[in-house]
Amino acid sequence: MHDSKRATFARMQDSTREDWQTIGGEFMQFSRGLADRVAAHLRILEGDYGGFPVDRYTHSLQTATRALRDGRDEEYVVCALLHDIGDTLGSFNHPDIAAAIVQPFVSEANHWMVKHHGIFQGHYFFHHIGLDRNLRDSFRDHPHYQHTADFCELYDNPAFDPRAETLPLDAFMPMLQRVLAQPRQSLYKAALEPKPQPAAA
């Protein structure tokens, strides 16, 4: 951590424009490390098998590898890489965690895919644990239904193979950095955009 200038208010209602210029400058530096922080959290999944044939980290890398080898674009591959990153903090709703991380940076279709992949992936195993494997059919008329079904069928579902190609995280870091550097939608997006400078007199 670097030493930095700090705002001086005790209550946010007492903050000033100068305070927020200070905070904004710090935020811009902090945001540049987002991909590294996300990658560090993804690595927490390493060694966490949970009874599966491969650990959750390998599953994430293998899902992304399959998407990459199939010619999917960088945004899609990043979604494949991060789709289960919420397993540690959202044990009962892990897709919501991943969806929240990618939402500012990806299309509506890809965000919806990440957010709902748990229900769609359930098609392959819910009947073994007393649930309805066809829960996904409640979304049959949704425009992103097939997009999400394809993700599970082609990439998430088969990515538990200890013998399958699994690229290392370093292979995905450049695209992770590029995707997470370009927010498409955020409450704060307008505030972060450069303001035009007044013309000199």
Side-chain angles (χ1 to χ4, degrees):
M1 297 292 290
H2 65 283
D3 292 329
S4 60
K5 184 180 176 183
R6 299 182 188 179
T8 58
F9 59 85
R11 295 182 298 177
M12 197 170 283
Q13 68 188 57
D14 300 326
S15 62
T16 65
R17 182 179 298 274
E18 289 72 25
D19 286 330
W20 286 100
Q21 288 174 343
T22 296
I23 293 166
E26 290 296 310
F27 175 79
M28 294 308 295
Q29 293 185 56
F30 183 70
S31 66
R32 293 188 192 104
L34 178 59
D36 290 332
R37 290 192 299 276
V38 169
H41 194 85
L42 189 67
R43 289 189 187 98
I44 293 174
L45 301 179
E46 190 169 12
D48 181 3
Y49 285 84
F52 289 95
V54 299
D55 64 25
R56 289 180 165 96
Y57 182 65
T58 299
H59 169 68
S60 299
L61 293 171
Q62 196 173 119
T63 304
T65 299
R66 289 178 176 275
L68 179 66
R69 294 302 191 220
D70 203 26
R72 297 289 183 167
D73 63 31
E74 287 192 348
E75 180 186 305
Y76 191 103
V77 172
V78 165
C79 286
L81 179 69
L82 301 182
H83 77 285
D84 278 349
I85 195 172
D87 276 343
T88 53
L89 297 177
S91 300
F92 298 96
N93 67 329
H94 78 275
D96 294 327
I97 306 297
I101 292 171
V102 302
Q103 184 174 17
F105 308 101
V106 304
S107 68
E108 178 187 347
N110 285 337
H111 172 254
W112 199 93
M113 175 184 79
V114 173
K115 185 173 178 63
H116 292 86
H117 82 270
I119 292 173
F120 281 68
Q121 183 77 334
H123 177 73
Y124 304 101
F125 72 91
F126 275 179
H127 53 298
H128 295 311
I129 60 173
L131 298 176
D132 180 5
R133 68 181 303 187
N134 296 313
L135 278 177
R136 67 181 188 173
D137 288 350
S138 64
F139 299 105
R140 177 67 69 177
D141 296 329
H142 195 280
H144 305 316
Y145 176 94
Q146 196 59 51
H147 186 64
T148 307
D150 289 345
F151 168 72
C152 290
E153 174 69 23
L154 298 171
Y155 312 121
D156 195 1
N157 170 49
F160 296 91
D161 184 351
R163 297 169 299 279
E165 181 185 19
T166 305
L167 292 171
L169 182 56
D170 285 350
F172 300 104
M173 282 305 298
M175 65 182 73
L176 184 64
Q177 290 164 344
R178 285 190 289 269
V179 170
L180 298 189
Q182 301 293 328
R184 295 185 181 190
Q185 54 271 325
S186 167
L187 173 63
Y188 304 106
K189 189 172 186 295
L192 298 174
E193 292 173 347
K195 305 294 187 291
Q197 298 297 317

